[in-house]
Amino acid sequence: MGAVREPLRRGVLGSLLLLLGLCGAREVHLPPGPLFRVEGTAISIPCSVSEYEGPTLQHFEWFLYRPTAPEISIGIVSTRDPAFPYALFSPRVQSGEVSVQRLHGDAVELRVARLRAEDAGVYECYTPTTDFMYHGNYSSKVVLKVIPDMLWVLAPTPRPHLRGRMAGTSPLQLSLSEGQELQLSCTAQSQTQQHTHLSVSFGVSAPDAPVGRQTLQEVVGVRRDFAVEAGGSFAERYRAGELSVAKAGSEQYKLVIGQVRPGDAGTYHCTVGEWIQDPDGSWQLIAEKRAALAQVTVQSIASQLAVSASPPRVRLSAGDALELLCNLSGPVPPAPHVAYAVSWEVGEGDRLLVAQLDTDGVAVLGESYANSQVGRRQVSLQKLTPDPGSYRLRIESAQPRDAGTYRCVARAYIRSPDAQLREVASSSSQGLKVHMKSEAVVLEVYAWLPVPATYRGDTAELLCNISVESTQAVHVAVSWWVEVTMGEEEPQGRMVASVSREGVAELSRRASGGDMSLDKVGPQCHRLRLHGVQPSDEGRYHCAVTAWVRYPDRSWYNAGAVKSNSVAVYPYARVMDTLFIPLIVGVASALFTGITILATITCCFMRRLRKR
């Protein structure tokens, strides 16, 4: 029984070793075929080996079996023998048109830069053995079919069909103004018998730059799976609806840029790619052609927008009407998608807005021309002619403060499809000098106390005499202020009361809580009265006067302001008040002394009584 079991055991062990050897057998890998490629294009065929023994650096040899002689192998290229190529491939290998590139120690790639029709056939990748035992597959084969170039590209203008890699004729010359619409189209067609997909991409390069993948910036394209994608800086504009690409019919593709920008200038191309799906499921670009569509120049609105103003110098008197004209010149003919906003500004450096007419024709006055102090002045900004147009600024009653340097500022906007405005240009006119012949208002003011000495509880009177010299009707506003010193700090000013130019009085709250009143005791004399004056009312008082002139348009002009001298208000104590205090002190002292004596006598008398 033992003799029978030993051969059986050896047989089982041998079978296991054979199975292990077969599982670890060398295997050469090539992509599944057949592979279809276009004549004149490049191809790369990867080859790798696995489950081998020996060094990690493996060698590879490539052979070709042509359909006309399927049994004859033609040496193409080898990783270990430079003299390996047959005479048919030797010149192409030496020129680099055919090469083998090592990817890893056990993987290479056969590369043919430009396929020929006779390159069709069965390609074999062979790996010389480095294994201890001869097991497995030492080569693999794949079928390559070289098909003719059947991809056609047509430019938008009548010209012969473009064959080859690039378009050879000059493109169209298109000149557009910023904001106009650009439409370009190209026709792509393939008559390849195999099932292929086309991709169409519109791109732009600098006007004089050589065209290539590095210089061509994609605008938008239709991928082989019919997805639409925009490239680079055009992606945001595509999402905003400013550009689109669409297929018109079965072969034509159209690019539309709704509003061109200066940066869109350049030479536009249409690049068409033909894709085929290999048996392993991967997609391969088997042909690509490019046609020049148009050379586009874009004239910016900023370079065309010019602003002029007139007259160059203005002299007028206060109260006269001030009128200035602003002329705009822009793209010719006027672009309907461009809107303008015009404003007038005055001053040097930090200029103040006088008036503005926005793109919808709504006029807005500057803050200095419509507020509670000056009222609302009669200022108008009117458009006189169509776009870009002439504009007139008119100030009905000019005031002395209207003198200065005026400029007309124009801003150009492009209205997007979603009605949003995008500013594209801004220009300013030369400065216009406006001189005003103003009539001076001489203003003087003096404050005084008719009764210098004021006692506590009395009414303190303060008078403000005003002197005005002017040929115009002047309205004055009067305010009373008190300066109070708190310790070593600087005196703090506080308004006590005021009378507006319309005669409306406003009284603040006194520290003592007492009453006060304002009245006018003469043509130009104002009086402030503090009733029941107290020590908390002590301080230095002055009056401030502002002269206002009213113009025919019912607006007000601040003709000047002046502050009076200061007068001291000191509430004195009365004589009876000074005598009353010692009297109280004396009476209190006498009472205290009497009570003390009486208490002492009483205590002594009580002690004696207890002794008895």
Side-chain angles (χ1 to χ4, degrees), residues 217-221 223 229-235:
Q217 181 185 9
E218 185 181 37
V219 179
V220 67
R223 305 294 184 244
E229 293 182 4
S233 60
F234 292 93

Side-chain angles (χ1 to χ4, degrees), residues 5-25:
R5 288 176 182 171
E6 184 63 24
L8 179 61
R9 195 163 36 243
R10 290 179 180 177
V12 172
L13 182 60
S15 299
L16 290 174
L17 290 174
L18 180 61
L19 289 174
L20 290 173
L22 290 177
C23 291

Side-chain angles (χ1 to χ4, degrees), residues 77-341:
V77 68
S78 169
T79 58
R80 66 175 179 175
D81 184 6
F84 180 81
Y86 282 29
L88 185 65
F89 282 97
S90 183
R92 298 173 70 183
V93 172
Q94 292 177 1
S95 66
E97 182 182 338
V98 177
S99 63
V100 59
Q101 299 294 327
R102 186 175 292 277
L103 305 179
H104 302 288
D106 54 5
V108 296
E109 196 172 63
L110 174 65
R111 297 179 181 178
V112 181
R114 189 177 181 86
L115 284 173
R116 303 176 182 178
E118 59 267 24
D119 291 336
V122 177
Y123 283 76
E124 180 182 22
C125 177
Y126 173 76
T127 60
T129 181
T130 58
D131 301 336
F132 178 73
M133 297 181 64
Y134 196 88
H135 288 298
N137 179 14
Y138 289 80
S139 69
S140 182
K141 296 180 180 180
V142 63
V143 177
L144 172 65
K145 294 182 179 294
V146 180
I147 59 179
D149 185 359
M150 301 299 290
L151 182 63
W152 300 73
V153 179
L154 285 81
T157 54
R159 59 182 68 179
H161 291 174
L162 299 176
R163 302 192 65 118
R165 309 295 298 172
M166 293 291 300
T169 57
S170 299
L172 290 171
Q173 302 292 322
L174 296 179
S175 180
L176 301 175
S177 290
E178 182 179 3
Q180 286 187 317
E181 184 180 80
L182 172 64
Q183 290 191 15
L184 296 173
S185 63
C186 74
T187 301
Q189 180 185 11
S190 175
Q191 296 180 353
T192 303
Q193 297 299 315
Q194 283 69 32
H195 177 72
T196 59
H197 288 189
L198 297 184
S199 64
V200 179
S201 174
F202 290 91
V204 60
S205 62
D208 299 325
V211 179
R213 292 189 181 275
Q214 301 300 323
T215 61
L216 194 63
Q217 181 185 9
E218 185 181 37
V219 179
V220 67
V222 180
R223 305 294 184 244
R224 66 170 184 269
D225 57 356
F226 311 111
V228 177
E229 293 182 4
S233 60
F234 292 93
E236 184 65 30
R237 296 170 66 181
Y238 175 73
R239 287 190 290 268
E242 292 185 19
L243 62 92
S244 63
V245 62
K247 189 174 184 181
S250 60
E251 301 172 353
Q252 190 178 45
Y253 295 82
K254 179 182 291 186
L255 165 70
V256 178
I257 301 179
Q259 296 174 347
V260 295
R261 303 179 182 181
D264 297 336
T267 304
Y268 282 76
H269 298 79
C270 175
T271 304
V272 180
E274 186 172 12
W275 299 77
I276 194 169
Q277 191 173 26
D278 283 347
D280 63 357
S282 63
W283 285 90
Q284 302 296 327
L285 179 65
I286 60 174
E288 185 178 82
K289 292 185 180 178
R290 185 179 300 118
L293 303 180
Q295 187 169 333
V296 179
T297 58
V298 180
Q299 191 171 10
S300 67
I301 293 177
S303 65
Q304 302 175 77
L305 181 62
V307 183
S308 61
S310 61
R313 189 179 299 272
V314 178
R315 291 184 179 274
L316 69 161
S317 300
D320 294 343
L322 172 61
E323 191 169 284
L324 302 174
L325 293 177
C326 178
N327 296 314
L328 273 63
S329 60
V332 179
H337 53 274
V338 180
Y340 298 91

Side-chain angles (χ1 to χ4, degrees), residues 482-485 533-541 569-571:
V482 61
E483 293 182 357
V484 181
T485 302
V533 67
Q534 298 297 324
S536 59
D537 295 319
E538 178 184 347
R540 300 192 64 84
Y541 288 75
V569 174
Y570 181 81

Side-chain angles (χ1 to χ4, degrees), residues 7 178 231 291 297 403 414 504 530:
E178 182 179 3
T297 58
I414 288 182
V504 179
L530 305 175

